[in-house]
Amino acid sequence: MKVKVSRKAHFNAAHRLYRKDWDHAQNEAIFGLCNNPHFHGHNYELIVSVTGTIDPETGYVMDMKVLKDLIKSEVEDAMDHKNLNIEVPEFENLNPTAENIAVVIWQKLRKHIAKDMDLEIVLYETPRNFVTFSG
Ligand code: NI
C-alpha cells in the first residue's frame, strides 16, 4: 500500500532566459520578456511529494519535519531571494526555466530521499503555469 505525502514551499527568485550563443533578435523571439537583460522575478510555489509505504511503527511514509528541513537546506537556502543565473551554480550554463529548476530541485532532493520511495516535484512559476518532474 503506497501513500503520497506532500509538502508545500515557496521562494522568490530572479532569472533571465537567454542563450549566450544566440543574438539578441533570436533570444527576443524565443524568450520575449523573459530575456530582459535586467532580470525579472517570480514567486515560485513548490510542492514536493514523496510516495512510499507506511512505516507500521510510526504510521508515517516520511517524517514531514525531515522533508521540511530538506526543502529548507536544499532549495530555500540555495534559491530564495537569489538571482538564479548568477548565484546558483547549477544555472551557470543552464537556462533557469521552470522545467530546468524543477529538474535541479529533484536532483538535489533525490539523494536525500530513501531509494524505495518516489519523488515528484511540482513547480509553479505563476499561478497558472506549472511543471511536474518525477525523474
Ligand atoms: Ni520569467
Side-chain angles (χ1 to χ4, degrees):
M1 191 168 62
K2 294 216 168 186
V3 177
K4 175 156 96 171
V5 298
S6 303
R7 167 94 190 164
K8 282 184 174 181
H10 171 84
F11 60 94
N12 305 104
H15 75 168
R16 177 190 179 191
L17 303 182
Y18 73 111
R19 289 190 61 97
K20 294 170 195 161
D21 56 335
W22 287 359
D23 64 17
H24 182 73
Q26 191 172 4
N27 275 302
E28 196 79 2
I30 300 298
F31 299 118
L33 288 174
C34 282
N35 176 43
N36 178 355
H38 302 291
F39 303 95
H40 64 278
H42 291 281
N43 294 312
Y44 291 97
E45 296 287 345
L46 175 66
I47 304 170
V48 177
S49 298
V50 174
T51 303
T53 53
I54 300 174
D55 181 329
E57 214 164 30
T58 61
Y60 290 159
V61 169
M62 180 175 180
D63 186 338
M64 294 304 265
K65 170 77 164 63
V66 172
L67 188 57
K68 176 190 172 190
D69 291 347
L70 268 177
I71 294 169
K72 166 88 168 69
S73 62
E74 296 296 323
V75 181
E76 293 170 6
D77 289 354
M79 298 184 187
D80 189 31
H81 285 73
K82 298 286 171 70
N83 181 314
L84 299 176
N85 300 74
I86 293 173
E87 298 180 87
V88 180
E90 285 86 351
F91 300 113
E92 198 180 326
N93 293 302
L94 180 68
N95 242 345
T97 58
E99 292 88 330
N100 283 330
I101 298 168
V103 170
V104 165
I105 290 172
W106 186 91
Q107 288 168 337
K108 286 165 74 83
L109 293 176
R110 179 68 267 189
K111 49 188 146 197
H112 300 284
I113 306 288
K115 294 235 180 332
D116 58 346
M117 297 194 190
D118 294 324
L119 174 65
E120 179 190 86
I121 303 299
V122 177
L123 182 70
Y124 283 77
E125 190 170 72
T126 73
R128 293 171 193 274
N129 292 347
F130 62 99
V131 302
T132 303
F133 183 66
S134 43

